[in-house]
Amino acid sequence: MKTFITLVRREHWESSAFWIVPGVFGALLLFGGLFGIFSLWQHGVDPEDVRYGLDQLTSLATDERRELMKIALLSLAAPFNVFLVGVTFFYALDALYADRRDRSVLFFKSLPISDVQTVLSKLAMALLVGPALTLAVVAVFQIAAVLFGTGIMLWSGTEGWYLALDPVAMVYAWSTMAWALFAQSLVYLPIVAWLMLASAWARKAPFLWAVVPPVAVLIIEGWIRRFDGETALGNWLADRVSNALPLSFNLRHDGDGLRIGHVDGAFNANGGIDVKFDLLWSGLVWEGVAIAAVLLAGAVWLRRYRADAE
């Protein structure tokens, strides 16, 4: 176990993109927000115009206010996931190819480290440690955003401004995000395993080896079916994405949902997001685990014999 943890740490040291990319994006968002507020101040915006609705927000019941804050924090986190998916894609593509490209694989083969441990450490980095690093960056960004919003509420004279500094609401949102990232990793497990297999196989251009075969299958199957818009591989990929959400969350929606406006009572949250764990024992996950096990076994075999043959 100590060897495996050390391997994961090595991947962490060499894979800074998991926190640098979202960190840069978050810094740009905060800079943009500061620039926007400075522009409003320069144009002499009346604090009264900014305060409308915010007093209603702080006057909500505790549970409803926390639900609103959770939805707001989840909305702030959503764009970061796009960067996480992109970084994970390219990390998995390069995970086993880079060691062979720079010949460092020969050094690690001289150590008492198994190929299984090496491959699984890279998988853990892609689907567990990487998302955890991104979540940590998002949490720091959200704390800064909440402090930024609290400053605006103070400037506008909003009553109960301190209610925005609610640690319970933030922990509630972070736990929901942690489950969302873990569920996403479970859904993407066979896809990441395929990328790692392509990384272990390719002598050059792992991107092409990862993308061209499934695209070719889609084209050939589409041609056979006279391009009727239905393919087995396409449906399998779409089902993984579309079926994972209802198995992971209960999306409540009552009435008009979130509304913001000048009139009394226009700030409310009729709905919410509740975590559920049906995904863990669904066929969607266990089918993916079985497929990933075969693909990862192939990646281990290729790592074991490909470097010696090259």
Side-chain angles (χ1 to χ4, degrees), residues 259-283:
R259 297 185 290 115
I260 303 174
H262 287 278
V263 298
D264 292 338
F267 217 133
N268 56 54
N270 294 324
I273 302 174
D274 296 325
V275 170
K276 62 180 182 180
F277 302 101
D278 295 355
L279 181 70
L280 293 176
W281 45 81
S282 69

PDB file of all heavy atoms in Angstrom, residues 259-283:
ATOM      1  N   ARG A 259     -37.006  32.605  -8.552  1.00  0.00           N
ATOM      2  CA  ARG A 259     -37.443  33.842  -9.193  1.00  0.00           C
ATOM      3  C   ARG A 259     -36.842  35.014  -8.425  1.00  0.00           C
ATOM      4  O   ARG A 259     -36.810  35.030  -7.210  1.00  0.00           O
ATOM      5  CB  ARG A 259     -38.979  33.963  -9.188  1.00  0.00           C
ATOM      6  CG  ARG A 259     -39.665  32.868  -9.987  1.00  0.00           C
ATOM      7  CD  ARG A 259     -41.174  33.078 -10.060  1.00  0.00           C
ATOM      8  NE  ARG A 259     -41.784  32.846  -8.753  1.00  0.00           N
ATOM      9  CZ  ARG A 259     -42.398  33.774  -8.026  1.00  0.00           C
ATOM     10  NH1 ARG A 259     -42.451  35.022  -8.456  1.00  0.00           N
ATOM     11  NH2 ARG A 259     -42.953  33.472  -6.872  1.00  0.00           N
ATOM     12  N   ILE A 260     -36.375  36.015  -9.168  1.00  0.00           N
ATOM     13  CA  ILE A 260     -35.784  37.211  -8.568  1.00  0.00           C
ATOM     14  C   ILE A 260     -36.460  38.438  -9.172  1.00  0.00           C
ATOM     15  O   ILE A 260     -36.612  38.535 -10.381  1.00  0.00           O
ATOM     16  CB  ILE A 260     -34.262  37.281  -8.824  1.00  0.00           C
ATOM     17  CG1 ILE A 260     -33.589  36.016  -8.281  1.00  0.00           C
ATOM     18  CG2 ILE A 260     -33.653  38.511  -8.181  1.00  0.00           C
ATOM     19  CD1 ILE A 260     -32.130  35.933  -8.611  1.00  0.00           C
ATOM     20  N   GLY A 261     -36.876  39.377  -8.322  1.00  0.00           N
ATOM     21  CA  GLY A 261     -37.514  40.565  -8.861  1.00  0.00           C
ATOM     22  C   GLY A 261     -37.754  41.609  -7.798  1.00  0.00           C
ATOM     23  O   GLY A 261     -37.352  41.461  -6.649  1.00  0.00           O
ATOM     24  N   HIS A 262     -38.454  42.681  -8.179  1.00  0.00           N
ATOM     25  CA  HIS A 262     -38.688  43.800  -7.276  1.00  0.00           C
ATOM     26  C   HIS A 262     -39.819  43.536  -6.294  1.00  0.00           C
ATOM     27  O   HIS A 262     -39.837  44.081  -5.208  1.00  0.00           O
ATOM     28  CB  HIS A 262     -39.030  45.057  -8.088  1.00  0.00           C
ATOM     29  CG  HIS A 262     -37.854  45.641  -8.799  1.00  0.00           C
ATOM     30  ND1 HIS A 262     -36.948  46.462  -8.189  1.00  0.00           N
ATOM     31  CD2 HIS A 262     -37.435  45.501 -10.075  1.00  0.00           C
ATOM     32  CE1 HIS A 262     -36.020  46.830  -9.057  1.00  0.00           C
ATOM     33  NE2 HIS A 262     -36.288  46.250 -10.211  1.00  0.00           N
ATOM     34  N   VAL A 263     -40.791  42.729  -6.667  1.00  0.00           N
ATOM     35  CA  VAL A 263     -41.989  42.585  -5.849  1.00  0.00           C
ATOM     36  C   VAL A 263     -41.715  41.705  -4.650  1.00  0.00           C
ATOM     37  O   VAL A 263     -40.783  40.915  -4.624  1.00  0.00           O
ATOM     38  CB  VAL A 263     -43.138  41.978  -6.686  1.00  0.00           C
ATOM     39  CG1 VAL A 263     -43.479  42.901  -7.837  1.00  0.00           C
ATOM     40  CG2 VAL A 263     -42.762  40.606  -7.217  1.00  0.00           C
ATOM     41  N   ASP A 264     -42.586  41.856  -3.634  1.00  0.00           N
ATOM     42  CA  ASP A 264     -42.410  41.064  -2.420  1.00  0.00           C
ATOM     43  C   ASP A 264     -42.557  39.578  -2.726  1.00  0.00           C
ATOM     44  O   ASP A 264     -43.444  39.160  -3.474  1.00  0.00           O
ATOM     45  CB  ASP A 264     -43.454  41.468  -1.372  1.00  0.00           C
ATOM     46  CG  ASP A 264     -43.209  42.878  -0.857  1.00  0.00           C
ATOM     47  OD1 ASP A 264     -42.055  43.338  -0.992  1.00  0.00           O
ATOM     48  OD2 ASP A 264     -44.151  43.503  -0.351  1.00  0.00           O
ATOM     49  N   GLY A 265     -41.700  38.800  -2.102  1.00  0.00           N
ATOM     50  CA  GLY A 265     -41.784  37.361  -2.276  1.00  0.00           C
ATOM     51  C   GLY A 265     -41.244  36.851  -3.588  1.00  0.00           C
ATOM     52  O   GLY A 265     -41.449  35.694  -3.931  1.00  0.00           O
ATOM     53  N   ALA A 266     -40.572  37.712  -4.354  1.00  0.00           N
ATOM     54  CA  ALA A 266     -40.094  37.276  -5.664  1.00  0.00           C
ATOM     55  C   ALA A 266     -38.798  36.492  -5.579  1.00  0.00           C
ATOM     56  O   ALA A 266     -38.338  35.954  -6.569  1.00  0.00           O
ATOM     57  CB  ALA A 266     -39.898  38.480  -6.577  1.00  0.00           C
ATOM     58  N   PHE A 267     -38.213  36.408  -4.393  1.00  0.00           N
ATOM     59  CA  PHE A 267     -36.974  35.662  -4.212  1.00  0.00           C
ATOM     60  C   PHE A 267     -37.311  34.368  -3.465  1.00  0.00           C
ATOM     61  O   PHE A 267     -37.541  34.367  -2.268  1.00  0.00           O
ATOM     62  CB  PHE A 267     -35.991  36.482  -3.369  1.00  0.00           C
ATOM     63  CG  PHE A 267     -34.563  36.332  -3.798  1.00  0.00           C
ATOM     64  CD1 PHE A 267     -33.763  37.458  -3.943  1.00  0.00           C
ATOM     65  CD2 PHE A 267     -34.021  35.102  -4.056  1.00  0.00           C
ATOM     66  CE1 PHE A 267     -32.442  37.338  -4.329  1.00  0.00           C
ATOM     67  CE2 PHE A 267     -32.700  34.976  -4.445  1.00  0.00           C
ATOM     68  CZ  PHE A 267     -31.913  36.096  -4.583  1.00  0.00           C
ATOM     69  N   ASN A 268     -37.410  33.254  -4.195  1.00  0.00           N
ATOM     70  CA  ASN A 268     -37.746  32.001  -3.541  1.00  0.00           C
ATOM     71  C   ASN A 268     -37.081  30.844  -4.263  1.00  0.00           C
ATOM     72  O   ASN A 268     -36.538  30.999  -5.347  1.00  0.00           O
ATOM     73  CB  ASN A 268     -39.265  31.799  -3.476  1.00  0.00           C
ATOM     74  CG  ASN A 268     -39.899  31.870  -4.853  1.00  0.00           C
ATOM     75  OD1 ASN A 268     -39.486  31.161  -5.772  1.00  0.00           O
ATOM     76  ND2 ASN A 268     -40.896  32.721  -5.004  1.00  0.00           N
ATOM     77  N   ALA A 269     -37.136  29.693  -3.648  1.00  0.00           N
ATOM     78  CA  ALA A 269     -36.537  28.494  -4.236  1.00  0.00           C
ATOM     79  C   ALA A 269     -37.520  27.344  -4.113  1.00  0.00           C
ATOM     80  O   ALA A 269     -37.514  26.626  -3.124  1.00  0.00           O
ATOM     81  CB  ALA A 269     -35.227  28.157  -3.527  1.00  0.00           C
ATOM     82  N   ASN A 270     -38.387  27.203  -5.076  1.00  0.00           N
ATOM     83  CA  ASN A 270     -39.329  26.103  -5.080  1.00  0.00           C
ATOM     84  C   ASN A 270     -38.703  24.910  -5.798  1.00  0.00           C
ATOM     85  O   ASN A 270     -38.941  24.678  -6.967  1.00  0.00           O
ATOM     86  CB  ASN A 270     -40.632  26.527  -5.772  1.00  0.00           C
ATOM     87  CG  ASN A 270     -41.346  27.602  -4.994  1.00  0.00           C
ATOM     88  OD1 ASN A 270     -41.330  27.590  -3.776  1.00  0.00           O
ATOM     89  ND2 ASN A 270     -41.952  28.545  -5.689  1.00  0.00           N
ATOM     90  N   GLY A 271     -37.907  24.176  -5.089  1.00  0.00           N
ATOM     91  CA  GLY A 271     -37.199  23.052  -5.687  1.00  0.00           C
ATOM     92  C   GLY A 271     -35.859  22.874  -5.007  1.00  0.00           C
ATOM     93  O   GLY A 271     -35.527  23.571  -4.056  1.00  0.00           O
ATOM     94  N   GLY A 272     -35.077  21.924  -5.482  1.00  0.00           N
ATOM     95  CA  GLY A 272     -33.775  21.696  -4.888  1.00  0.00           C
ATOM     96  C   GLY A 272     -33.114  20.467  -5.480  1.00  0.00           C
ATOM     97  O   GLY A 272     -33.616  19.856  -6.421  1.00  0.00           O
ATOM     98  N   ILE A 273     -31.978  20.109  -4.903  1.00  0.00           N
ATOM     99  CA  ILE A 273     -31.187  18.976  -5.359  1.00  0.00           C
ATOM    100  C   ILE A 273     -30.862  18.104  -4.160  1.00  0.00           C
ATOM    101  O   ILE A 273     -30.242  18.562  -3.202  1.00  0.00           O
ATOM    102  CB  ILE A 273     -29.875  19.439  -6.034  1.00  0.00           C
ATOM    103  CG1 ILE A 273     -30.177  20.364  -7.207  1.00  0.00           C
ATOM    104  CG2 ILE A 273     -29.062  18.241  -6.513  1.00  0.00           C
ATOM    105  CD1 ILE A 273     -28.935  20.970  -7.838  1.00  0.00           C
ATOM    106  N   ASP A 274     -31.300  16.863  -4.210  1.00  0.00           N
ATOM    107  CA  ASP A 274     -31.014  15.905  -3.147  1.00  0.00           C
ATOM    108  C   ASP A 274     -30.144  14.781  -3.691  1.00  0.00           C
ATOM    109  O   ASP A 274     -30.375  14.275  -4.794  1.00  0.00           O
ATOM    110  CB  ASP A 274     -32.310  15.315  -2.587  1.00  0.00           C
ATOM    111  CG  ASP A 274     -33.182  16.374  -1.927  1.00  0.00           C
ATOM    112  OD1 ASP A 274     -32.614  17.303  -1.325  1.00  0.00           O
ATOM    113  OD2 ASP A 274     -34.413  16.270  -2.025  1.00  0.00           O
ATOM    114  N   VAL A 275     -29.158  14.386  -2.900  1.00  0.00           N
ATOM    115  CA  VAL A 275     -28.262  13.299  -3.299  1.00  0.00           C
ATOM    116  C   VAL A 275     -28.945  11.959  -3.065  1.00  0.00           C
ATOM    117  O   VAL A 275     -29.627  11.763  -2.062  1.00  0.00           O
ATOM    118  CB  VAL A 275     -26.948  13.367  -2.492  1.00  0.00           C
ATOM    119  CG1 VAL A 275     -26.119  12.114  -2.707  1.00  0.00           C
ATOM    120  CG2 VAL A 275     -26.154  14.601  -2.887  1.00  0.00           C
ATOM    121  N   LYS A 276     -28.765  11.034  -4.004  1.00  0.00           N
ATOM    122  CA  LYS A 276     -29.162   9.645  -3.786  1.00  0.00           C
ATOM    123  C   LYS A 276     -28.088   8.743  -4.382  1.00  0.00           C
ATOM    124  O   LYS A 276     -27.336   9.154  -5.269  1.00  0.00           O
ATOM    125  CB  LYS A 276     -30.537   9.351  -4.382  1.00  0.00           C
ATOM    126  CG  LYS A 276     -30.666   9.517  -5.873  1.00  0.00           C
ATOM    127  CD  LYS A 276     -32.096   9.190  -6.302  1.00  0.00           C
ATOM    128  CE  LYS A 276     -32.277   9.295  -7.809  1.00  0.00           C
ATOM    129  NZ  LYS A 276     -33.651   8.979  -8.234  1.00  0.00           N
ATOM    130  N   PHE A 277     -28.023   7.504  -3.908  1.00  0.00           N
ATOM    131  CA  PHE A 277     -26.896   6.628  -4.217  1.00  0.00           C
ATOM    132  C   PHE A 277     -27.299   5.401  -5.035  1.00  0.00           C
ATOM    133  O   PHE A 277     -26.619   4.376  -5.004  1.00  0.00           O
ATOM    134  CB  PHE A 277     -26.217   6.192  -2.913  1.00  0.00           C
ATOM    135  CG  PHE A 277     -25.730   7.353  -2.083  1.00  0.00           C
ATOM    136  CD1 PHE A 277     -26.452   7.788  -0.979  1.00  0.00           C
ATOM    137  CD2 PHE A 277     -24.570   8.014  -2.414  1.00  0.00           C
ATOM    138  CE1 PHE A 277     -26.012   8.865  -0.225  1.00  0.00           C
ATOM    139  CE2 PHE A 277     -24.110   9.094  -1.656  1.00  0.00           C
ATOM    140  CZ  PHE A 277     -24.840   9.524  -0.559  1.00  0.00           C
ATOM    141  N   ASP A 278     -28.395   5.513  -5.780  1.00  0.00           N
ATOM    142  CA  ASP A 278     -28.840   4.397  -6.611  1.00  0.00           C
ATOM    143  C   ASP A 278     -27.795   4.013  -7.657  1.00  0.00           C
ATOM    144  O   ASP A 278     -27.750   2.873  -8.116  1.00  0.00           O
ATOM    145  CB  ASP A 278     -30.157   4.748  -7.315  1.00  0.00           C
ATOM    146  CG  ASP A 278     -31.299   4.943  -6.337  1.00  0.00           C
ATOM    147  OD1 ASP A 278     -31.080   4.715  -5.134  1.00  0.00           O
ATOM    148  OD2 ASP A 278     -32.400   5.328  -6.759  1.00  0.00           O
ATOM    149  N   LEU A 279     -26.950   4.974  -8.031  1.00  0.00           N
ATOM    150  CA  LEU A 279     -25.938   4.712  -9.056  1.00  0.00           C
ATOM    151  C   LEU A 279     -24.980   3.601  -8.630  1.00  0.00           C
ATOM    152  O   LEU A 279     -24.508   2.829  -9.465  1.00  0.00           O
ATOM    153  CB  LEU A 279     -25.160   5.999  -9.343  1.00  0.00           C
ATOM    154  CG  LEU A 279     -24.072   5.917 -10.419  1.00  0.00           C
ATOM    155  CD1 LEU A 279     -24.696   5.762 -11.799  1.00  0.00           C
ATOM    156  CD2 LEU A 279     -23.180   7.151 -10.387  1.00  0.00           C
ATOM    157  N   LEU A 280     -24.693   3.519  -7.325  1.00  0.00           N
ATOM    158  CA  LEU A 280     -23.668   2.594  -6.845  1.00  0.00           C
ATOM    159  C   LEU A 280     -24.014   1.140  -7.129  1.00  0.00           C
ATOM    160  O   LEU A 280     -23.123   0.317  -7.344  1.00  0.00           O
ATOM    161  CB  LEU A 280     -23.441   2.790  -5.341  1.00  0.00           C
ATOM    162  CG  LEU A 280     -22.819   4.127  -4.928  1.00  0.00           C
ATOM    163  CD1 LEU A 280     -22.731   4.223  -3.415  1.00  0.00           C
ATOM    164  CD2 LEU A 280     -21.441   4.292  -5.548  1.00  0.00           C
ATOM    165  N   TRP A 281     -25.296   0.801  -7.082  1.00  0.00           N
ATOM    166  CA  TRP A 281     -25.675  -0.599  -7.343  1.00  0.00           C
ATOM    167  C   TRP A 281     -26.449  -0.756  -8.643  1.00  0.00           C
ATOM    168  O   TRP A 281     -27.191  -1.712  -8.828  1.00  0.00           O
ATOM    169  CB  TRP A 281     -26.494  -1.154  -6.169  1.00  0.00           C
ATOM    170  CG  TRP A 281     -27.550  -0.232  -5.665  1.00  0.00           C
ATOM    171  CD1 TRP A 281     -28.807  -0.016  -6.169  1.00  0.00           C
ATOM    172  CD2 TRP A 281     -27.436   0.622  -4.524  1.00  0.00           C
ATOM    173  NE1 TRP A 281     -29.475   0.915  -5.429  1.00  0.00           N
ATOM    174  CE2 TRP A 281     -28.667   1.324  -4.401  1.00  0.00           C
ATOM    175  CE3 TRP A 281     -26.421   0.852  -3.586  1.00  0.00           C
ATOM    176  CZ2 TRP A 281     -28.899   2.237  -3.389  1.00  0.00           C
ATOM    177  CZ3 TRP A 281     -26.662   1.773  -2.593  1.00  0.00           C
ATOM    178  CH2 TRP A 281     -27.881   2.455  -2.489  1.00  0.00           C
ATOM    179  N   SER A 282     -26.249   0.173  -9.552  1.00  0.00           N
ATOM    180  CA  SER A 282     -26.914   0.090 -10.847  1.00  0.00           C
ATOM    181  C   SER A 282     -26.075  -0.719 -11.834  1.00  0.00           C
ATOM    182  O   SER A 282     -24.850  -0.812 -11.707  1.00  0.00           O
ATOM    183  CB  SER A 282     -27.162   1.488 -11.417  1.00  0.00           C
ATOM    184  OG  SER A 282     -25.943   2.101 -11.770  1.00  0.00           O
ATOM    185  N   GLY A 283     -26.750  -1.287 -12.822  1.00  0.00           N
ATOM    186  CA  GLY A 283     -26.046  -2.004 -13.876  1.00  0.00           C
ATOM    187  C   GLY A 283     -25.137  -1.094 -14.676  1.00  0.00           C
ATOM    188  O   GLY A 283     -24.133  -1.549 -15.248  1.00  0.00           O
TER     189      GLY A 283
END
